[in-house]
């Protein structure tokens, strides 16, 4: 669900930026007539795209376990760019319009940076399956049955969700604790993956 949302958010952002890029180019190159035509043609599309962009953005924000400071900067820039764009394109003020476009692009860059910083930290960046494949298959194998270095067969584990979360968080014997390498959300995700895709299979 969250991944689908993320993809729609990207799609909306790309469309939104594209519309603005074209508008900015037309404005800067004094193609007033074309700009008016383009504005008319894309009016409805723009409303849909802007709404989708904001709605998916807000939805995703509420999915985040904690909102990084940079995210606020990003939202601030997007919010600031809207009145600038409205005034800029209406009054055909090149400076304001360009500034507005620039803010959108910068906030795009910030979003990428937030994503990179959180690469080790968010449910959106990595699914339970991906975490399992990267961190756990060495000992447990892709199907949980490998049993390397005395590890338990996860397909027959008697542990419930909370039990799995505890073992992964604090570790047990040769299995290290993942408290410092995985976030609480990632541990939740990997535990859910074991429950749905490995246990009893
Ligand atoms: C270095 C090898 C190793 C890695 C890597 C490893 N484990 Fe383990 N795991 C073990 C061992 C050994 C045990 C058995 C511990 C014991 O009971 O003595 C175990 C036990 C478990 C158990 C308890 C099973 C049961 O029924 O008691 C779970 C759940 C588990 N591991 C999940 C994971 C997850 C999730 C990961 C990846 C984040 C992971 N393990 C990575 C070695 C490993």
């Amino acid at each position: 669900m969250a991944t689908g949302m993320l993809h729609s958010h990207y799609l909306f952002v790309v469309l939104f930026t594209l519309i603005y890029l074209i508008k900015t180019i037309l404005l800067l190159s004094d193609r007033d007539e074309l700009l008016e035509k383009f504005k008319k043609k894309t009016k409805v599309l723009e409303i849909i795209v802007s709404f989708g962009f904001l709605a998916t953005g807000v939805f995703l924000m509420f999915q985040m376990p904690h909102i990084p400071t940079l995210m606020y900067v990003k939202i601030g820039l997007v919010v600031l760019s809207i009145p600038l764009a409205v005034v800029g394109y209406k009054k055909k003020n090149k400076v304001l319009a360009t500034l507005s476009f620039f803010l959108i692009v910068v906030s795009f860059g910030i979003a990428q940076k937030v994503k990179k910083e959180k690469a080790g930290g968010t449910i959106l960046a990595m699914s339970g399956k991906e975490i399992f494949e990267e961190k756990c298959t060495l000992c447990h194998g892709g199907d949980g049955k490998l049993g390397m270095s005395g590890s338990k067969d996860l397909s027959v584990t008697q542990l419930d969700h909370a039990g799995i979360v505890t073992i992964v968080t604090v570790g047990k014997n040769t299995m290290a604790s993942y408290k410092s390498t995985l976030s609480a959300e990632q541990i939740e995700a990997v535990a859910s993956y074991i429950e749905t895709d490995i246990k009893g299979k």
Side-chain angles (χ1 to χ4, degrees):
M1 172 77 170
T3 330
M5 264 302 173
L6 191 62
H7 290 153
S8 348
H9 185 63
Y10 282 152
L11 183 69
F12 283 127
V13 170
V14 169
L15 282 174
F16 185 81
T17 315
L18 209 65
I19 293 176
Y20 267 67
L21 176 67
I22 296 174
K23 278 186 7 180
T24 311
I25 291 173
L26 291 177
L27 181 71
L28 290 182
S29 56
D30 291 316
R31 294 235 171 72
D32 285 0
E33 239 170 75
L34 256 178
L35 177 62
E36 285 310 317
K37 241 194 218 156
F38 183 76
K39 273 199 329 208
K40 240 182 228 140
K41 282 240 159 72
T42 55
K43 201 167 185 170
V44 176
L45 181 70
E46 201 185 320
I47 292 170
I48 296 173
V49 167
S50 314
F51 180 77
F53 167 38
L54 291 178
T56 49
V58 169
F59 175 88
L60 286 170
M61 211 174 76
F62 281 112
Q63 296 279 302
M64 292 185 118
H66 90 110
I67 301 170
T69 327
L70 268 178
M71 202 67 166
Y72 288 111
V73 178
K74 175 191 155 185
I75 295 162
L77 290 181
V78 172
V79 170
L80 186 68
S81 73
I82 295 170
L84 283 181
V86 171
V87 177
Y89 292 109
K90 220 180 204 115
K91 299 228 144 82
K92 302 219 160 42
N93 184 317
K94 289 179 186 169
V95 178
L96 286 186
T98 312
L99 191 63
S100 159
F101 184 71
F102 179 72
L103 288 184
I104 295 275
V105 173
V106 170
S107 62
F108 217 172
I110 291 179
Q112 289 313 106
K113 195 163 149 44
V114 170
K115 211 169 71 189
K116 270 210 198 100
E117 275 180 6
K118 301 266 301 175
T122 152
I123 26 166
L124 296 173
M126 236 184 166
S127 68
K129 182 175 197 285
E130 287 168 329
I131 297 165
F132 188 82
E133 280 164 1
E134 190 182 307
K135 308 267 186 206
C136 323
T137 46
L138 188 68
C139 299
H140 291 288
D143 54 4
K145 297 185 178 122
L146 186 63
M148 278 292 271
S149 47
S151 62
K152 294 258 173 73
D153 181 344
L154 297 181
S155 67
V156 297
T157 183
Q158 296 298 311
L159 296 170
D160 58 6
H161 187 81
I164 299 175
V165 167
T166 306
I167 294 226
V168 180
T169 310
V170 302
K172 195 170 177 192
N173 299 320
T174 34
M175 179 171 150
S177 151
Y178 284 87
K179 203 161 55 192
S180 55
T181 42
L182 295 174
S183 68
E185 291 75 25
Q186 285 180 315
I187 293 176
E188 285 290 330
V190 81
S192 302
Y193 173 71
I194 292 174
E195 284 186 305
T196 53
D197 287 74
I198 293 193
K199 199 170 159 179
K201 298 277 156 81

